[in-house]
Amino acid sequence: DEAESLLSEMKNNGIQPTVVTYNTLLDAYFKSNRPDAIDCAESLVREMNDKRIRLTIVTYNQLIRAYCMSKQQNSLDKAHNLFQEIKKQGLKPNTWIYSSLMAAHLKKTKNPEQQVQHLFLEMKNAFEDGDVSLKPDIRIYGILLNSFSKSGNPEKASETLKEMVRMDQKPTTSDFNAVLEAWMRSGDPEATSQVELGFLQMKQLAAANTFDCQPDIRTYDVAIAAIDRSGAPEAGEKTLQLLRELQQLSEQNPRDKSFLPTV
């Protein structure tokens, strides 16, 4: 409301608002949590277009992130339309725009792997062509990993984890968990053994301080579920052993809620 009042006062005093003024007001709308924030923003953009005020990458970034987070119908389509508009205007999408779109597909699309991978490859190719500002970071890789996890594609998830390391990104527990979950969802006959192997590797890498990938409650949940699903004769004993480990970690780290058993 304060930003709107300032804009109105500027107009009444014959002061022409600039793109910076409009971007500031857009930011205020999206931070206000107003239910009509998107509608207000769209009205503001129409006003900018009417006044021939060219939208900047900051404007597009704010709008795309808002659409990606919105629960409105077709909001993701609107975000993609703006994404294409950026290119037509000769502007360059940044990592925040790519990550917003990728994260939105991960959350809103039933099978997001194809869309997420397409955006990732577009970004990665631009980086390899010399645009260093579009180097995929750990946030981007995390979204890509989770898309492969969601679709049950452990091969792609494992390749991505290895690529992260080659790109000097340090995968964390959640990244390793995504690979384990991909194996769990794959239905592959080797899923249980691969989850157990990955679980062991996480422990070893964490102990050596290679990566910050100490197994957490989610890791244990996946490992226990994989072992239980195998139906192997030793499954019961292995499950009990993991539960004992989890209980021991919880006692050793009483303030760390990530080790609290769920059973």
PDB file of all heavy atoms in Angstrom, residues 83 87 93-100 102 116-141 167:
ATOM      1  N   PHE A  83       9.235 -16.563 -20.345  1.00  0.00           N
ATOM      2  CA  PHE A  83      10.567 -17.086 -20.624  1.00  0.00           C
ATOM      3  C   PHE A  83      10.897 -16.937 -22.112  1.00  0.00           C
ATOM      4  O   PHE A  83      12.010 -16.522 -22.484  1.00  0.00           O
ATOM      5  CB  PHE A  83      10.618 -18.553 -20.198  1.00  0.00           C
ATOM      6  CG  PHE A  83      11.949 -19.217 -20.355  1.00  0.00           C
ATOM      7  CD1 PHE A  83      13.069 -18.749 -19.688  1.00  0.00           C
ATOM      8  CD2 PHE A  83      12.086 -20.335 -21.160  1.00  0.00           C
ATOM      9  CE1 PHE A  83      14.304 -19.367 -19.819  1.00  0.00           C
ATOM     10  CE2 PHE A  83      13.315 -20.970 -21.301  1.00  0.00           C
ATOM     11  CZ  PHE A  83      14.424 -20.484 -20.633  1.00  0.00           C
ATOM     12  N   LYS A  87      13.671 -14.107 -24.451  1.00  0.00           N
ATOM     13  CA  LYS A  87      14.566 -14.410 -25.565  1.00  0.00           C
ATOM     14  C   LYS A  87      14.253 -13.526 -26.780  1.00  0.00           C
ATOM     15  O   LYS A  87      15.166 -13.045 -27.461  1.00  0.00           O
ATOM     16  CB  LYS A  87      14.467 -15.888 -25.926  1.00  0.00           C
ATOM     17  CG  LYS A  87      14.867 -16.829 -24.788  1.00  0.00           C
ATOM     18  CD  LYS A  87      14.623 -18.271 -25.168  1.00  0.00           C
ATOM     19  CE  LYS A  87      14.954 -19.212 -24.030  1.00  0.00           C
ATOM     20  NZ  LYS A  87      14.674 -20.625 -24.367  1.00  0.00           N
ATOM     21  N   PRO A  93      18.202 -15.065 -19.981  1.00  0.00           N
ATOM     22  CA  PRO A  93      17.708 -15.653 -18.729  1.00  0.00           C
ATOM     23  C   PRO A  93      18.874 -15.953 -17.789  1.00  0.00           C
ATOM     24  O   PRO A  93      19.951 -16.341 -18.237  1.00  0.00           O
ATOM     25  CB  PRO A  93      17.023 -16.946 -19.183  1.00  0.00           C
ATOM     26  CG  PRO A  93      16.787 -16.783 -20.646  1.00  0.00           C
ATOM     27  CD  PRO A  93      17.884 -15.909 -21.151  1.00  0.00           C
ATOM     28  N   ASN A  94      18.646 -15.767 -16.487  1.00  0.00           N
ATOM     29  CA  ASN A  94      19.705 -16.051 -15.520  1.00  0.00           C
ATOM     30  C   ASN A  94      19.413 -17.350 -14.774  1.00  0.00           C
ATOM     31  O   ASN A  94      18.396 -18.008 -14.997  1.00  0.00           O
ATOM     32  CB  ASN A  94      19.873 -14.878 -14.550  1.00  0.00           C
ATOM     33  CG  ASN A  94      18.567 -14.502 -13.859  1.00  0.00           C
ATOM     34  OD1 ASN A  94      17.745 -15.367 -13.549  1.00  0.00           O
ATOM     35  ND2 ASN A  94      18.364 -13.221 -13.619  1.00  0.00           N
ATOM     36  N   THR A  95      20.317 -17.722 -13.881  1.00  0.00           N
ATOM     37  CA  THR A  95      20.165 -18.992 -13.168  1.00  0.00           C
ATOM     38  C   THR A  95      18.910 -19.023 -12.308  1.00  0.00           C
ATOM     39  O   THR A  95      18.313 -20.084 -12.125  1.00  0.00           O
ATOM     40  CB  THR A  95      21.394 -19.274 -12.287  1.00  0.00           C
ATOM     41  OG1 THR A  95      21.590 -18.181 -11.369  1.00  0.00           O
ATOM     42  CG2 THR A  95      22.641 -19.463 -13.127  1.00  0.00           C
ATOM     43  N   TRP A  96      18.505 -17.859 -11.773  1.00  0.00           N
ATOM     44  CA  TRP A  96      17.305 -17.832 -10.935  1.00  0.00           C
ATOM     45  C   TRP A  96      16.059 -18.136 -11.748  1.00  0.00           C
ATOM     46  O   TRP A  96      15.136 -18.812 -11.274  1.00  0.00           O
ATOM     47  CB  TRP A  96      17.172 -16.465 -10.249  1.00  0.00           C
ATOM     48  CG  TRP A  96      18.132 -16.303  -9.129  1.00  0.00           C
ATOM     49  CD1 TRP A  96      19.271 -15.552  -9.106  1.00  0.00           C
ATOM     50  CD2 TRP A  96      18.081 -16.947  -7.847  1.00  0.00           C
ATOM     51  NE1 TRP A  96      19.917 -15.683  -7.906  1.00  0.00           N
ATOM     52  CE2 TRP A  96      19.218 -16.522  -7.115  1.00  0.00           C
ATOM     53  CE3 TRP A  96      17.192 -17.838  -7.256  1.00  0.00           C
ATOM     54  CZ2 TRP A  96      19.473 -16.970  -5.820  1.00  0.00           C
ATOM     55  CZ3 TRP A  96      17.444 -18.278  -5.972  1.00  0.00           C
ATOM     56  CH2 TRP A  96      18.574 -17.842  -5.271  1.00  0.00           C
ATOM     57  N   ILE A  97      16.025 -17.667 -12.988  1.00  0.00           N
ATOM     58  CA  ILE A  97      14.874 -17.949 -13.854  1.00  0.00           C
ATOM     59  C   ILE A  97      14.833 -19.429 -14.200  1.00  0.00           C
ATOM     60  O   ILE A  97      13.776 -20.075 -14.126  1.00  0.00           O
ATOM     61  CB  ILE A  97      14.932 -17.074 -15.121  1.00  0.00           C
ATOM     62  CG1 ILE A  97      14.624 -15.619 -14.753  1.00  0.00           C
ATOM     63  CG2 ILE A  97      13.944 -17.573 -16.181  1.00  0.00           C
ATOM     64  CD1 ILE A  97      14.789 -14.630 -15.879  1.00  0.00           C
ATOM     65  N   TYR A  98      15.983 -19.987 -14.560  1.00  0.00           N
ATOM     66  CA  TYR A  98      16.026 -21.415 -14.873  1.00  0.00           C
ATOM     67  C   TYR A  98      15.636 -22.252 -13.655  1.00  0.00           C
ATOM     68  O   TYR A  98      14.845 -23.202 -13.766  1.00  0.00           O
ATOM     69  CB  TYR A  98      17.425 -21.813 -15.349  1.00  0.00           C
ATOM     70  CG  TYR A  98      17.681 -21.522 -16.806  1.00  0.00           C
ATOM     71  CD1 TYR A  98      18.472 -20.444 -17.192  1.00  0.00           C
ATOM     72  CD2 TYR A  98      17.145 -22.340 -17.811  1.00  0.00           C
ATOM     73  CE1 TYR A  98      18.715 -20.176 -18.532  1.00  0.00           C
ATOM     74  CE2 TYR A  98      17.384 -22.078 -19.149  1.00  0.00           C
ATOM     75  CZ  TYR A  98      18.168 -20.999 -19.507  1.00  0.00           C
ATOM     76  OH  TYR A  98      18.394 -20.735 -20.838  1.00  0.00           O
ATOM     77  N   SER A  99      16.171 -21.927 -12.500  1.00  0.00           N
ATOM     78  CA  SER A  99      15.872 -22.731 -11.312  1.00  0.00           C
ATOM     79  C   SER A  99      14.408 -22.601 -10.908  1.00  0.00           C
ATOM     80  O   SER A  99      13.803 -23.575 -10.444  1.00  0.00           O
ATOM     81  CB  SER A  99      16.788 -22.332 -10.145  1.00  0.00           C
ATOM     82  OG  SER A  99      16.546 -21.007  -9.723  1.00  0.00           O
ATOM     83  N   SER A 100      13.822 -21.416 -11.093  1.00  0.00           N
ATOM     84  CA  SER A 100      12.397 -21.236 -10.774  1.00  0.00           C
ATOM     85  C   SER A 100      11.530 -22.129 -11.643  1.00  0.00           C
ATOM     86  O   SER A 100      10.601 -22.794 -11.154  1.00  0.00           O
ATOM     87  CB  SER A 100      11.992 -19.769 -10.962  1.00  0.00           C
ATOM     88  OG  SER A 100      12.629 -18.928 -10.037  1.00  0.00           O
ATOM     89  N   MET A 102      12.487 -24.852 -13.346  1.00  0.00           N
ATOM     90  CA  MET A 102      12.771 -26.255 -13.062  1.00  0.00           C
ATOM     91  C   MET A 102      12.074 -26.707 -11.781  1.00  0.00           C
ATOM     92  O   MET A 102      11.462 -27.787 -11.734  1.00  0.00           O
ATOM     93  CB  MET A 102      14.279 -26.462 -12.954  1.00  0.00           C
ATOM     94  CG  MET A 102      15.025 -26.331 -14.276  1.00  0.00           C
ATOM     95  SD  MET A 102      16.835 -26.280 -14.070  1.00  0.00           S
ATOM     96  CE  MET A 102      17.153 -27.951 -13.464  1.00  0.00           C
ATOM     97  N   VAL A 116      12.366 -30.703 -16.925  1.00  0.00           N
ATOM     98  CA  VAL A 116      13.489 -30.251 -16.097  1.00  0.00           C
ATOM     99  C   VAL A 116      14.809 -30.470 -16.827  1.00  0.00           C
ATOM    100  O   VAL A 116      15.678 -29.591 -16.851  1.00  0.00           O
ATOM    101  CB  VAL A 116      13.491 -30.985 -14.734  1.00  0.00           C
ATOM    102  CG1 VAL A 116      14.775 -30.686 -13.970  1.00  0.00           C
ATOM    103  CG2 VAL A 116      12.285 -30.554 -13.905  1.00  0.00           C
ATOM    104  N   GLN A 117      14.956 -31.632 -17.448  1.00  0.00           N
ATOM    105  CA  GLN A 117      16.208 -31.935 -18.151  1.00  0.00           C
ATOM    106  C   GLN A 117      16.392 -31.006 -19.357  1.00  0.00           C
ATOM    107  O   GLN A 117      17.514 -30.577 -19.651  1.00  0.00           O
ATOM    108  CB  GLN A 117      16.224 -33.390 -18.606  1.00  0.00           C
ATOM    109  CG  GLN A 117      17.570 -33.828 -19.157  1.00  0.00           C
ATOM    110  CD  GLN A 117      17.644 -35.320 -19.434  1.00  0.00           C
ATOM    111  OE1 GLN A 117      16.615 -35.980 -19.600  1.00  0.00           O
ATOM    112  NE2 GLN A 117      18.837 -35.859 -19.502  1.00  0.00           N
ATOM    113  N   HIS A 118      15.309 -30.678 -20.049  1.00  0.00           N
ATOM    114  CA  HIS A 118      15.393 -29.771 -21.197  1.00  0.00           C
ATOM    115  C   HIS A 118      15.921 -28.404 -20.763  1.00  0.00           C
ATOM    116  O   HIS A 118      16.822 -27.834 -21.412  1.00  0.00           O
ATOM    117  CB  HIS A 118      14.020 -29.611 -21.852  1.00  0.00           C
ATOM    118  CG  HIS A 118      13.986 -28.610 -22.954  1.00  0.00           C
ATOM    119  ND1 HIS A 118      14.467 -28.867 -24.221  1.00  0.00           N
ATOM    120  CD2 HIS A 118      13.550 -27.319 -22.974  1.00  0.00           C
ATOM    121  CE1 HIS A 118      14.335 -27.795 -24.973  1.00  0.00           C
ATOM    122  NE2 HIS A 118      13.772 -26.847 -24.246  1.00  0.00           N
ATOM    123  N   LEU A 119      15.376 -27.876 -19.677  1.00  0.00           N
ATOM    124  CA  LEU A 119      15.821 -26.575 -19.169  1.00  0.00           C
ATOM    125  C   LEU A 119      17.268 -26.645 -18.696  1.00  0.00           C
ATOM    126  O   LEU A 119      18.065 -25.727 -18.949  1.00  0.00           O
ATOM    127  CB  LEU A 119      14.910 -26.124 -18.027  1.00  0.00           C
ATOM    128  CG  LEU A 119      13.505 -25.668 -18.427  1.00  0.00           C
ATOM    129  CD1 LEU A 119      12.579 -25.670 -17.219  1.00  0.00           C
ATOM    130  CD2 LEU A 119      13.557 -24.277 -19.056  1.00  0.00           C
ATOM    131  N   PHE A 120      17.610 -27.737 -18.029  1.00  0.00           N
ATOM    132  CA  PHE A 120      18.982 -27.898 -17.550  1.00  0.00           C
ATOM    133  C   PHE A 120      19.968 -27.932 -18.708  1.00  0.00           C
ATOM    134  O   PHE A 120      21.013 -27.257 -18.671  1.00  0.00           O
ATOM    135  CB  PHE A 120      19.102 -29.185 -16.731  1.00  0.00           C
ATOM    136  CG  PHE A 120      20.519 -29.523 -16.351  1.00  0.00           C
ATOM    137  CD1 PHE A 120      21.124 -28.896 -15.276  1.00  0.00           C
ATOM    138  CD2 PHE A 120      21.256 -30.449 -17.081  1.00  0.00           C
ATOM    139  CE1 PHE A 120      22.446 -29.189 -14.924  1.00  0.00           C
ATOM    140  CE2 PHE A 120      22.567 -30.747 -16.741  1.00  0.00           C
ATOM    141  CZ  PHE A 120      23.165 -30.121 -15.662  1.00  0.00           C
ATOM    142  N   LEU A 121      19.666 -28.713 -19.750  1.00  0.00           N
ATOM    143  CA  LEU A 121      20.573 -28.827 -20.885  1.00  0.00           C
ATOM    144  C   LEU A 121      20.715 -27.510 -21.641  1.00  0.00           C
ATOM    145  O   LEU A 121      21.805 -27.171 -22.119  1.00  0.00           O
ATOM    146  CB  LEU A 121      20.090 -29.936 -21.830  1.00  0.00           C
ATOM    147  CG  LEU A 121      20.232 -31.359 -21.292  1.00  0.00           C
ATOM    148  CD1 LEU A 121      19.618 -32.368 -22.259  1.00  0.00           C
ATOM    149  CD2 LEU A 121      21.696 -31.707 -21.027  1.00  0.00           C
ATOM    150  N   GLU A 122      19.626 -26.762 -21.728  1.00  0.00           N
ATOM    151  CA  GLU A 122      19.693 -25.445 -22.375  1.00  0.00           C
ATOM    152  C   GLU A 122      20.653 -24.529 -21.608  1.00  0.00           C
ATOM    153  O   GLU A 122      21.485 -23.822 -22.201  1.00  0.00           O
ATOM    154  CB  GLU A 122      18.297 -24.818 -22.422  1.00  0.00           C
ATOM    155  CG  GLU A 122      18.246 -23.466 -23.103  1.00  0.00           C
ATOM    156  CD  GLU A 122      16.839 -22.910 -23.184  1.00  0.00           C
ATOM    157  OE1 GLU A 122      15.928 -23.651 -23.614  1.00  0.00           O
ATOM    158  OE2 GLU A 122      16.646 -21.736 -22.818  1.00  0.00           O
ATOM    159  N   MET A 123      20.536 -24.567 -20.311  1.00  0.00           N
ATOM    160  CA  MET A 123      21.394 -23.760 -19.450  1.00  0.00           C
ATOM    161  C   MET A 123      22.846 -24.241 -19.520  1.00  0.00           C
ATOM    162  O   MET A 123      23.779 -23.440 -19.664  1.00  0.00           O
ATOM    163  CB  MET A 123      20.868 -23.865 -18.016  1.00  0.00           C
ATOM    164  CG  MET A 123      21.632 -23.076 -17.000  1.00  0.00           C
ATOM    165  SD  MET A 123      20.883 -23.348 -15.376  1.00  0.00           S
ATOM    166  CE  MET A 123      22.030 -22.423 -14.368  1.00  0.00           C
ATOM    167  N   LYS A 124      23.038 -25.541 -19.438  1.00  0.00           N
ATOM    168  CA  LYS A 124      24.385 -26.116 -19.463  1.00  0.00           C
ATOM    169  C   LYS A 124      25.078 -25.852 -20.796  1.00  0.00           C
ATOM    170  O   LYS A 124      26.276 -25.525 -20.842  1.00  0.00           O
ATOM    171  CB  LYS A 124      24.303 -27.615 -19.196  1.00  0.00           C
ATOM    172  CG  LYS A 124      25.650 -28.320 -19.159  1.00  0.00           C
ATOM    173  CD  LYS A 124      25.469 -29.818 -18.990  1.00  0.00           C
ATOM    174  CE  LYS A 124      26.789 -30.544 -19.110  1.00  0.00           C
ATOM    175  NZ  LYS A 124      26.621 -32.012 -19.048  1.00  0.00           N
ATOM    176  N   ASN A 125      24.332 -25.976 -21.901  1.00  0.00           N
ATOM    177  CA  ASN A 125      24.912 -25.731 -23.220  1.00  0.00           C
ATOM    178  C   ASN A 125      25.360 -24.278 -23.368  1.00  0.00           C
ATOM    179  O   ASN A 125      26.411 -23.999 -23.957  1.00  0.00           O
ATOM    180  CB  ASN A 125      23.905 -26.086 -24.315  1.00  0.00           C
ATOM    181  CG  ASN A 125      23.680 -27.581 -24.445  1.00  0.00           C
ATOM    182  OD1 ASN A 125      24.518 -28.382 -24.024  1.00  0.00           O
ATOM    183  ND2 ASN A 125      22.546 -27.969 -25.002  1.00  0.00           N
ATOM    184  N   ALA A 126      24.564 -23.367 -22.814  1.00  0.00           N
ATOM    185  CA  ALA A 126      24.938 -21.947 -22.865  1.00  0.00           C
ATOM    186  C   ALA A 126      26.223 -21.712 -22.070  1.00  0.00           C
ATOM    187  O   ALA A 126      27.094 -20.940 -22.487  1.00  0.00           O
ATOM    188  CB  ALA A 126      23.806 -21.085 -22.318  1.00  0.00           C
ATOM    189  N   PHE A 127      26.335 -22.388 -20.935  1.00  0.00           N
ATOM    190  CA  PHE A 127      27.558 -22.281 -20.131  1.00  0.00           C
ATOM    191  C   PHE A 127      28.765 -22.815 -20.897  1.00  0.00           C
ATOM    192  O   PHE A 127      29.830 -22.190 -20.938  1.00  0.00           O
ATOM    193  CB  PHE A 127      27.386 -23.045 -18.819  1.00  0.00           C
ATOM    194  CG  PHE A 127      28.669 -23.271 -18.068  1.00  0.00           C
ATOM    195  CD1 PHE A 127      29.340 -22.211 -17.469  1.00  0.00           C
ATOM    196  CD2 PHE A 127      29.219 -24.548 -17.977  1.00  0.00           C
ATOM    197  CE1 PHE A 127      30.538 -22.415 -16.788  1.00  0.00           C
ATOM    198  CE2 PHE A 127      30.411 -24.766 -17.301  1.00  0.00           C
ATOM    199  CZ  PHE A 127      31.075 -23.695 -16.712  1.00  0.00           C
ATOM    200  N   GLU A 128      28.607 -23.972 -21.532  1.00  0.00           N
ATOM    201  CA  GLU A 128      29.706 -24.578 -22.273  1.00  0.00           C
ATOM    202  C   GLU A 128      30.070 -23.770 -23.516  1.00  0.00           C
ATOM    203  O   GLU A 128      31.192 -23.878 -24.021  1.00  0.00           O
ATOM    204  CB  GLU A 128      29.347 -26.021 -22.650  1.00  0.00           C
ATOM    205  CG  GLU A 128      29.269 -26.945 -21.434  1.00  0.00           C
ATOM    206  CD  GLU A 128      28.856 -28.357 -21.772  1.00  0.00           C
ATOM    207  OE1 GLU A 128      28.338 -28.570 -22.903  1.00  0.00           O
ATOM    208  OE2 GLU A 128      29.034 -29.251 -20.916  1.00  0.00           O
ATOM    209  N   ASP A 129      29.120 -22.948 -23.984  1.00  0.00           N
ATOM    210  CA  ASP A 129      29.392 -22.077 -25.129  1.00  0.00           C
ATOM    211  C   ASP A 129      30.052 -20.763 -24.715  1.00  0.00           C
ATOM    212  O   ASP A 129      30.287 -19.891 -25.559  1.00  0.00           O
ATOM    213  CB  ASP A 129      28.099 -21.780 -25.893  1.00  0.00           C
ATOM    214  CG  ASP A 129      27.621 -22.987 -26.707  1.00  0.00           C
ATOM    215  OD1 ASP A 129      28.452 -23.881 -26.966  1.00  0.00           O
ATOM    216  OD2 ASP A 129      26.436 -23.032 -27.064  1.00  0.00           O
ATOM    217  N   GLY A 130      30.301 -20.624 -23.406  1.00  0.00           N
ATOM    218  CA  GLY A 130      31.045 -19.454 -22.941  1.00  0.00           C
ATOM    219  C   GLY A 130      30.335 -18.540 -21.976  1.00  0.00           C
ATOM    220  O   GLY A 130      30.929 -17.581 -21.475  1.00  0.00           O
ATOM    221  N   ASP A 131      29.054 -18.802 -21.678  1.00  0.00           N
ATOM    222  CA  ASP A 131      28.328 -17.944 -20.732  1.00  0.00           C
ATOM    223  C   ASP A 131      28.565 -18.454 -19.310  1.00  0.00           C
ATOM    224  O   ASP A 131      27.817 -19.286 -18.797  1.00  0.00           O
ATOM    225  CB  ASP A 131      26.834 -17.931 -21.052  1.00  0.00           C
ATOM    226  CG  ASP A 131      26.066 -16.900 -20.244  1.00  0.00           C
ATOM    227  OD1 ASP A 131      26.627 -16.382 -19.260  1.00  0.00           O
ATOM    228  OD2 ASP A 131      24.904 -16.612 -20.594  1.00  0.00           O
ATOM    229  N   VAL A 132      29.618 -17.949 -18.675  1.00  0.00           N
ATOM    230  CA  VAL A 132      30.007 -18.454 -17.353  1.00  0.00           C
ATOM    231  C   VAL A 132      28.961 -18.155 -16.287  1.00  0.00           C
ATOM    232  O   VAL A 132      28.944 -18.809 -15.233  1.00  0.00           O
ATOM    233  CB  VAL A 132      31.374 -17.873 -16.928  1.00  0.00           C
ATOM    234  CG1 VAL A 132      32.470 -18.367 -17.850  1.00  0.00           C
ATOM    235  CG2 VAL A 132      31.348 -16.345 -16.902  1.00  0.00           C
ATOM    236  N   SER A 133      28.086 -17.175 -16.536  1.00  0.00           N
ATOM    237  CA  SER A 133      27.058 -16.837 -15.544  1.00  0.00           C
ATOM    238  C   SER A 133      26.010 -17.939 -15.417  1.00  0.00           C
ATOM    239  O   SER A 133      25.241 -17.960 -14.458  1.00  0.00           O
ATOM    240  CB  SER A 133      26.372 -15.519 -15.909  1.00  0.00           C
ATOM    241  OG  SER A 133      25.565 -15.664 -17.068  1.00  0.00           O
ATOM    242  N   LEU A 134      25.973 -18.849 -16.389  1.00  0.00           N
ATOM    243  CA  LEU A 134      24.971 -19.916 -16.371  1.00  0.00           C
ATOM    244  C   LEU A 134      25.559 -21.269 -15.964  1.00  0.00           C
ATOM    245  O   LEU A 134      25.009 -22.310 -16.286  1.00  0.00           O
ATOM    246  CB  LEU A 134      24.294 -20.034 -17.743  1.00  0.00           C
ATOM    247  CG  LEU A 134      23.348 -18.885 -18.103  1.00  0.00           C
ATOM    248  CD1 LEU A 134      22.739 -19.103 -19.481  1.00  0.00           C
ATOM    249  CD2 LEU A 134      22.243 -18.715 -17.062  1.00  0.00           C
ATOM    250  N   LYS A 135      26.666 -21.230 -15.239  1.00  0.00           N
ATOM    251  CA  LYS A 135      27.227 -22.478 -14.728  1.00  0.00           C
ATOM    252  C   LYS A 135      26.249 -23.096 -13.731  1.00  0.00           C
ATOM    253  O   LYS A 135      25.869 -22.464 -12.748  1.00  0.00           O
ATOM    254  CB  LYS A 135      28.567 -22.228 -14.027  1.00  0.00           C
ATOM    255  CG  LYS A 135      29.184 -23.506 -13.473  1.00  0.00           C
ATOM    256  CD  LYS A 135      30.508 -23.230 -12.772  1.00  0.00           C
ATOM    257  CE  LYS A 135      31.110 -24.514 -12.213  1.00  0.00           C
ATOM    258  NZ  LYS A 135      32.409 -24.284 -11.532  1.00  0.00           N
ATOM    259  N   PRO A 136      25.806 -24.341 -13.979  1.00  0.00           N
ATOM    260  CA  PRO A 136      24.867 -24.971 -13.039  1.00  0.00           C
ATOM    261  C   PRO A 136      25.488 -25.090 -11.644  1.00  0.00           C
ATOM    262  O   PRO A 136      26.635 -25.504 -11.506  1.00  0.00           O
ATOM    263  CB  PRO A 136      24.638 -26.356 -13.662  1.00  0.00           C
ATOM    264  CG  PRO A 136      24.969 -26.191 -15.111  1.00  0.00           C
ATOM    265  CD  PRO A 136      26.093 -25.204 -15.136  1.00  0.00           C
ATOM    266  N   ASP A 137      24.727 -24.684 -10.642  1.00  0.00           N
ATOM    267  CA  ASP A 137      25.222 -24.775  -9.268  1.00  0.00           C
ATOM    268  C   ASP A 137      24.526 -25.923  -8.541  1.00  0.00           C
ATOM    269  O   ASP A 137      23.727 -26.655  -9.122  1.00  0.00           O
ATOM    270  CB  ASP A 137      25.041 -23.446  -8.532  1.00  0.00           C
ATOM    271  CG  ASP A 137      23.584 -22.989  -8.493  1.00  0.00           C
ATOM    272  OD1 ASP A 137      22.689 -23.828  -8.705  1.00  0.00           O
ATOM    273  OD2 ASP A 137      23.341 -21.789  -8.264  1.00  0.00           O
ATOM    274  N   ILE A 138      24.831 -26.057  -7.270  1.00  0.00           N
ATOM    275  CA  ILE A 138      24.302 -27.191  -6.516  1.00  0.00           C
ATOM    276  C   ILE A 138      22.782 -27.145  -6.409  1.00  0.00           C
ATOM    277  O   ILE A 138      22.114 -28.193  -6.354  1.00  0.00           O
ATOM    278  CB  ILE A 138      24.958 -27.254  -5.115  1.00  0.00           C
ATOM    279  CG1 ILE A 138      24.689 -28.613  -4.470  1.00  0.00           C
ATOM    280  CG2 ILE A 138      24.483 -26.098  -4.225  1.00  0.00           C
ATOM    281  CD1 ILE A 138      25.566 -28.904  -3.282  1.00  0.00           C
ATOM    282  N   ARG A 139      22.202 -25.948  -6.420  1.00  0.00           N
ATOM    283  CA  ARG A 139      20.744 -25.813  -6.375  1.00  0.00           C
ATOM    284  C   ARG A 139      20.124 -26.399  -7.647  1.00  0.00           C
ATOM    285  O   ARG A 139      19.143 -27.146  -7.597  1.00  0.00           O
ATOM    286  CB  ARG A 139      20.379 -24.338  -6.223  1.00  0.00           C
ATOM    287  CG  ARG A 139      18.889 -24.052  -6.153  1.00  0.00           C
ATOM    288  CD  ARG A 139      18.614 -22.563  -6.060  1.00  0.00           C
ATOM    289  NE  ARG A 139      18.808 -21.876  -7.331  1.00  0.00           N
ATOM    290  CZ  ARG A 139      19.842 -21.109  -7.640  1.00  0.00           C
ATOM    291  NH1 ARG A 139      20.814 -20.936  -6.768  1.00  0.00           N
ATOM    292  NH2 ARG A 139      19.936 -20.503  -8.806  1.00  0.00           N
ATOM    293  N   ILE A 140      20.703 -26.067  -8.797  1.00  0.00           N
ATOM    294  CA  ILE A 140      20.209 -26.555 -10.081  1.00  0.00           C
ATOM    295  C   ILE A 140      20.347 -28.073 -10.165  1.00  0.00           C
ATOM    296  O   ILE A 140      19.418 -28.782 -10.568  1.00  0.00           O
ATOM    297  CB  ILE A 140      20.992 -25.890 -11.237  1.00  0.00           C
ATOM    298  CG1 ILE A 140      20.745 -24.367 -11.257  1.00  0.00           C
ATOM    299  CG2 ILE A 140      20.626 -26.521 -12.569  1.00  0.00           C
ATOM    300  CD1 ILE A 140      19.366 -23.950 -11.655  1.00  0.00           C
ATOM    301  N   TYR A 141      21.520 -28.572  -9.777  1.00  0.00           N
ATOM    302  CA  TYR A 141      21.735 -30.016  -9.817  1.00  0.00           C
ATOM    303  C   TYR A 141      20.775 -30.745  -8.873  1.00  0.00           C
ATOM    304  O   TYR A 141      20.320 -31.859  -9.177  1.00  0.00           O
ATOM    305  CB  TYR A 141      23.180 -30.350  -9.462  1.00  0.00           C
ATOM    306  CG  TYR A 141      24.134 -30.250 -10.636  1.00  0.00           C
ATOM    307  CD1 TYR A 141      25.095 -29.246 -10.691  1.00  0.00           C
ATOM    308  CD2 TYR A 141      24.069 -31.155 -11.685  1.00  0.00           C
ATOM    309  CE1 TYR A 141      25.975 -29.150 -11.772  1.00  0.00           C
ATOM    310  CE2 TYR A 141      24.935 -31.073 -12.766  1.00  0.00           C
ATOM    311  CZ  TYR A 141      25.889 -30.071 -12.797  1.00  0.00           C
ATOM    312  OH  TYR A 141      26.753 -29.989 -13.869  1.00  0.00           O
ATOM    313  N   MET A 167      32.046 -31.094 -11.821  1.00  0.00           N
ATOM    314  CA  MET A 167      31.835 -29.646 -11.957  1.00  0.00           C
ATOM    315  C   MET A 167      32.178 -28.884 -10.677  1.00  0.00           C
ATOM    316  O   MET A 167      31.794 -27.736 -10.493  1.00  0.00           O
ATOM    317  CB  MET A 167      30.383 -29.370 -12.346  1.00  0.00           C
ATOM    318  CG  MET A 167      29.993 -29.898 -13.717  1.00  0.00           C
ATOM    319  SD  MET A 167      30.737 -28.989 -15.077  1.00  0.00           S
ATOM    320  CE  MET A 167      29.751 -27.493 -15.055  1.00  0.00           C
TER     321      MET A 167
END
